[in-house]
Amino acid sequence: MQQQMLCLKKDDEKTSEITLKGSVEIVSDFFFTAINSILYQRGIYMPETFKRESKYGLTVLTSTDKGLIRYLESVQKQVEHWLLQGNIQRLVVVVQGVDSMETLERWQFNVTVEGQKGQENGENSQPNVRPTGTSGGKKGGKSMKEIHGEIQAIIRQITASVTFLPLLQEPCTFDLLVYTDKDANLPTKWADSDPCYILNSSEVKLRSFTTSVHKVDSMVAYKEADEWEL
């Protein structure tokens, strides 16, 4: 008698059919975690204002500053809307000197739609592709374990950034820039902004992750230490 050997996959090994809405939640949550990690690692906020949490199989730091959390949650909500509409191209975390108001670091997270081809988007160009549908439309199979593993690698790189980024020589603040296509609806509290480029910057490309719906590529541009006016 012929036999076949069967086994039941563990839950964390299951391949999930990621919908657009599910992908938006993953990308949005990654942005929130990455921004908090950058603010902690680069000393933008005092370390005692952060709490430790377990996420993506890592211990991550999340701010406890109520004003900051309200601001980040407001940005996160709007980013989710733009992701659902297919209007967002990239999110940028800008680190600037409080006294000099000079841009010292520029953390960039580019968002593209998987499985669709188009020309490279310029900094202010309209994207050539956008996701279709709303919360339905199953896209592709990928396990949450795989996705979290890819995100984990990026968070680890942000944590390790203190080993290759120049020491910030002055108190710093941050700003968030969101690149959208030109027909995106802008809330009243949002306005056009300067791109805050760094002249003659050095750049480090970080890891990327994909949900099977969205792909996020990461990089950081920074001002070399010998370019600082001391």
Side-chain angles (χ1 to χ4, degrees), residues 15-60:
T15 297
S16 303
E17 294 289 345
I18 306 294
T19 63
L20 173 57
K21 184 176 180 180
S23 178
V24 165
E25 291 173 354
I26 293 170
V27 173
S28 173
D29 188 60
F30 162 74
F31 283 156
F32 182 84
T33 304
I35 293 168
N36 272 275
S37 184
I38 292 168
L39 297 181
Y40 175 83
Q41 296 298 335
R42 304 310 291 147
I44 311 301
Y45 284 77
M46 298 297 290
E48 57 266 26
T49 64
F50 289 81
K51 63 181 179 180
R52 295 180 180 274
E53 295 182 331
S54 180
K55 187 180 291 187
Y56 311 126
L58 292 173
T59 297
V60 299

Side-chain angles (χ1 to χ4, degrees), residues 26-225:
I26 293 170
V27 173
S28 173
D29 188 60
F30 162 74
F31 283 156
F32 182 84
T33 304
I35 293 168
N36 272 275
S37 184
I38 292 168
L39 297 181
Y40 175 83
Q41 296 298 335
R42 304 310 291 147
I44 311 301
Y45 284 77
M46 298 297 290
E48 57 266 26
T49 64
F50 289 81
K51 63 181 179 180
R52 295 180 180 274
E53 295 182 331
S54 180
K55 187 180 291 187
Y56 311 126
L58 292 173
T59 297
V60 299
L61 283 301
T62 303
S63 176
T64 58
D65 184 292
K66 292 182 180 179
L68 175 60
I69 291 299
R70 282 196 299 270
Y71 170 69
L72 294 181
E73 288 178 345
S74 175
V75 172
Q76 187 178 23
K77 181 178 179 181
Q78 184 58 47
V79 165
E80 288 176 355
H81 173 75
W82 281 327
L83 282 167
L84 281 170
Q85 298 300 316
N87 293 139
I88 191 169
Q89 298 178 24
R90 61 182 60 88
L91 180 142
V92 180
V93 183
V94 176
V95 176
Q96 294 179 318
V98 171
D99 298 323
S100 66
M101 289 309 296
E102 186 175 7
T103 300
L104 306 175
E105 295 175 5
R106 202 171 182 275
W107 298 77
Q108 182 168 301
F109 302 95
N110 295 336
V111 182
T112 55
V113 180
E114 284 284 81
Q116 299 187 44
K117 296 182 179 180
Q119 298 176 349
E120 288 293 321
N121 292 322
E123 282 292 309
N124 296 300
S125 67
Q126 295 187 25
N128 296 291
V129 294
R130 62 176 58 185
T132 57
T134 51
S135 61
K138 293 184 177 181
K139 294 293 182 180
K142 191 168 187 180
S143 71
M144 290 302 297
K145 183 178 181 180
E146 289 178 290
I147 297 171
H148 285 178
E150 293 172 356
I151 293 176
Q152 182 186 103
I154 302 174
I155 300 300
R156 287 187 185 279
Q157 287 183 309
I158 294 174
T159 301
S161 65
V162 294
T163 64
F164 63 83
L165 291 177
L167 181 67
L168 296 174
Q169 302 286 346
E170 62 175 308
C172 292
T173 185
F174 84 102
D175 203 357
L176 296 178
L177 309 180
V178 181
Y179 285 75
T180 66
D181 64 359
K182 295 179 181 179
D183 61 359
N185 293 323
L186 297 181
T188 54
K189 291 185 178 181
W190 289 71
D192 290 336
S193 172
D194 184 275
C196 302
Y197 292 132
I198 303 172
L199 187 64
N200 299 322
S201 66
S202 296
E203 298 181 357
V204 175
K205 182 174 174 57
L206 307 178
R207 298 288 188 91
S208 63
F209 80 91
T210 173
T211 65
S212 297
V213 179
H214 294 103
K215 182 180 181 182
V216 178
D217 291 298
S218 312
M219 60 86 68
V220 58
Y222 59 94
K223 182 178 180 180
E224 287 281 12

